[in-house]
Amino acid sequence: AARFASMTNIDMNGIGSPDYGQRAAAQLEQDIKEGAIGVKAWKDFGMQQKDVNGKRVPVDDPRLDPVWDVCAKYKIPVMIHTADPKPLYDPMDKYNERWLELRLRPNRGEAGTGLTWEQVIGEQHSLFAKHPKTIFIAAHMGWLSHDLQKLGEMLDRMPNLNVEIAAILGELGRQPRTAKRFFIKYQDRILFGKDTYNISEYPFYFRLLESDDDWIDNIRKYHGLWKLYGLDLPDEVLKKVYYKNALRLFPKLSSAGFPR
């Protein structure tokens, strides 16, 4: 039991009703008192989530400010997944490097939905800036692993922001020198993450992060048909990414079993 901890979610029901902010904040505060060590905001937030009037709830909707204030009060990190990779919002044509994913999983395509990637991700960035005392962890590197310069500028500007690396090693492994410099510079702000617990997939992550191997196949072809290259990260950086940063951001986690 000491190896597991629970996060909670935000009660999105009733956004727009007069008592929503107070009610959702009170529920979150109770969850924290009962042991929740963090909050997970699912990717339907900002996409499909609707208020009581049937309108889309933006990621930076001020009606949720009381919830983020509770997170800041208790220093509870918010793991937030917003949108999907940018190519999934673009037409499926020969210029779209995710065409195979769109072909195999057409339900992931967002082109024609009326939402743009820039709009939804922009709302996420607005949320981070509006709540500088709330700790945020942007899932999937905020879908900015293809533009590490922009992501680095955000980290410089927003000390409350952290990122995790699930499902985006295909972006990092094709720019190994740039990615390695990024990991070294921001080694205190990056967490190891994964969408599913599948033991057979972990060696791929370890190989990309730890080795200097060349010409590696992506873990899933529809994540990218290009070859990847190992980042060969220093041991101290790896320790921070794998567990030290998590232990710092979530102090209630047990440190037993981890190397010092």
Side-chain angles (χ1 to χ4, degrees), residues 74-240:
Y74 290 94
K75 294 183 172 58
I76 293 295
V78 179
M79 169 76 80
I80 181 168
H81 179 157
T82 302
D84 272 318
K86 187 178 185 299
L88 299 185
Y89 288 75
D90 298 331
M92 189 184 76
D93 56 25
K94 64 181 180 180
Y95 303 108
N96 192 322
E97 64 182 18
R98 290 251 183 175
W99 66 266
L100 180 59
E101 182 170 3
L102 289 166
R103 176 69 177 83
L104 295 173
R105 291 167 170 74
N107 62 311
R108 294 186 179 181
E110 299 292 343
T113 61
L115 285 176
T116 67
W117 183 86
E118 289 82 2
Q119 177 185 0
V120 182
I121 292 296
E123 292 171 0
Q124 185 197 68
H125 299 172
S126 171
L127 174 67
F128 298 158
K130 281 173 57 180
H131 296 276
K133 294 183 179 180
T134 303
I135 303 166
F136 290 99
I137 303 169
H140 310 293
M141 278 192 161
W143 301 121
L144 276 174
S145 52
H146 65 283
D147 191 347
L148 293 178
Q149 180 176 341
K150 182 173 182 178
L151 182 56
E153 291 169 355
M154 283 183 57
L155 290 169
D156 292 340
R157 194 167 66 250
M158 302 175 181
N160 59 321
L161 177 59
N162 305 269
V163 297
E164 66 86 39
I165 62 171
I168 49 83
L169 267 66
E171 305 292 346
L172 301 177
R174 62 176 172 179
Q175 48 178 334
R177 291 184 293 275
T178 298
K180 182 173 184 175
R181 289 192 294 268
F182 183 91
F183 270 73
I184 291 173
K185 181 175 182 180
Y186 299 106
Q187 58 187 271
D188 296 318
R189 314 278 291 279
I190 304 170
L191 290 86
F192 182 92
K194 218 176 164 307
D195 283 331
T196 60
Y197 178 67
N198 186 332
I199 294 175
S200 67
E201 295 181 352
Y202 280 82
F204 169 80
Y205 280 74
F206 300 151
R207 186 181 184 192
L208 254 293
L209 296 173
E210 299 178 21
S211 81
D212 61 357
D213 289 354
D214 292 336
W215 214 240
I216 303 169
D217 288 327
N218 211 327
I219 192 169
R220 295 179 179 86
K221 284 187 176 181
Y222 62 77
H223 281 176
L225 296 173
W226 51 86
K227 298 295 184 177
L228 308 176
Y229 303 84
L231 274 59
D232 190 25
L233 295 174
D235 283 356
E236 193 50 46
V237 174
L238 289 166
K239 289 177 183 178
K240 289 182 179 181

Side-chain angles (χ1 to χ4, degrees), residues 20-81:
Y20 171 75
Q22 180 181 5
R23 175 170 53 80
Q27 178 62 61
L28 176 58
E29 193 159 17
Q30 183 62 35
D31 292 346
I32 293 169
K33 290 178 180 178
E34 291 182 6
I37 67 166
V39 170
K40 172 65 187 293
W42 301 96
K43 72 174 179 179
D44 61 343
F45 176 39
M47 301 282 290
Q48 293 88 25
Q49 191 66 51
K50 302 290 197 301
D51 65 11
V52 293
N53 298 312
K55 294 183 178 181
R56 181 183 73 92
V57 179
V59 181
D60 57 349
D61 195 313
R63 293 174 291 187
L64 282 99
D65 285 351
V67 171
W68 312 128
D69 291 342
V70 169
C71 294
K73 175 183 176 181
Y74 290 94
K75 294 183 172 58
I76 293 295
V78 179
M79 169 76 80
I80 181 168
H81 179 157

